[in-house]
Amino acid sequence: MTEVSSLTGRLLVATPALADPNFDRAVVLLLDHDEEGSLGVVLNRPTPVGVGDILEGWADLAGEPGVVFQGGPVSLDSALGVAVIPGGATGEAPLGWRRVHGAIGLVDLEAPPELLASAVGSLRIFAGYAGWGPGQLEDELVEGAWYVVESEPGDVSSPAPEKLWRSVLRRQRNELAMVATYPDDPSLN
């Protein structure tokens, strides 16, 4: 087997050709990527369910919109917390937070929210996640299903998640910026 170059902390942006409805115009933050597989959360799928309805103690720390996001089609009954810690890219990690990439990390939702309250810059709660077995994501990349781009801490807490697909593409300094103009329904063009 060939060595896998880690994409942890990067974004997978669905190409217009990706046919899976679970990932139509999805922006996925990869939380883990190695030879054993990949795991990420879809950043732009808000649900109507408020964070306080499920994890009351974490509601005050959740950014706007203060709802649970559908992180992907796997384990929808589980929750993941992803938080940006200002200065977390270089400083010591606070208790209850594990660095994923730079200032972005996973939150231990079993820990008391007070442990992180003073450190958290933004928090998102995800129901479920996106997962790939060994080599599966690499195959999808070869097939052209995803663009791989750098993440920015603000991607996790975008106040307009429905616009994230276009805004992530638009900020690219290459031909990907043009893909942001791709129509929602090309048959109407």
Side-chain angles (χ1 to χ4, degrees):
M1 183 169 166
T2 60
E3 185 178 322
V4 173
S5 178
S6 181
L7 299 176
T8 299
R10 305 213 35 215
L11 296 177
L12 298 177
V13 181
T15 67
L18 183 59
D20 185 338
N22 289 306
F23 297 109
D24 181 45
R25 303 236 171 170
V27 177
V28 177
L29 172 66
L30 281 175
L31 301 172
D32 192 25
H33 176 250
D34 58 28
E35 64 279 342
E36 296 177 22
S38 305
L39 180 141
V41 288
V42 179
L43 297 177
N44 57 336
R45 295 278 191 277
T47 72
V49 179
V51 171
D53 296 341
I54 295 176
L55 295 167
E56 186 177 341
W58 292 98
D60 290 339
L61 297 178
E64 288 299 323
V67 297
V68 174
F69 282 66
Q70 184 176 339
V74 181
S75 294
L76 290 172
D77 58 345
S78 66
L80 286 170
V82 177
V84 174
I85 303 290
T90 56
E92 188 174 319
L95 285 175
W97 182 79
R98 179 179 63 83
R99 182 181 333 279
V100 170
H101 177 75
I104 301 168
L106 285 168
V107 171
D108 177 359
L109 294 174
E110 299 294 321
E114 302 78 41
L115 272 180
L116 285 168
S118 64
V120 169
S122 62
L123 170 72
R124 280 275 155 84
I125 303 296
F126 298 90
Y129 61 91
W132 295 264
Q136 187 180 3
L137 178 57
E138 289 73 18
D139 290 346
E140 290 183 16
L141 292 173
V142 168
E143 293 167 5
W146 301 99
Y147 304 119
V148 179
V149 301
E150 295 298 324
S151 65
E152 294 181 1
D155 296 333
V156 172
S157 58
S158 172
E162 69 282 353
K163 297 178 181 177
L164 192 60
W165 186 84
R166 289 189 193 282
S167 66
V168 167
L169 289 170
R170 196 172 292 119
R171 75 177 183 230
Q172 303 310 305
R173 297 179 184 257
N174 54 32
E175 61 277 355
L176 284 185
M178 289 298 294
V179 177
T181 64
Y182 197 83
D184 291 334
D185 184 353
S187 68
L188 298 177
N189 228 2

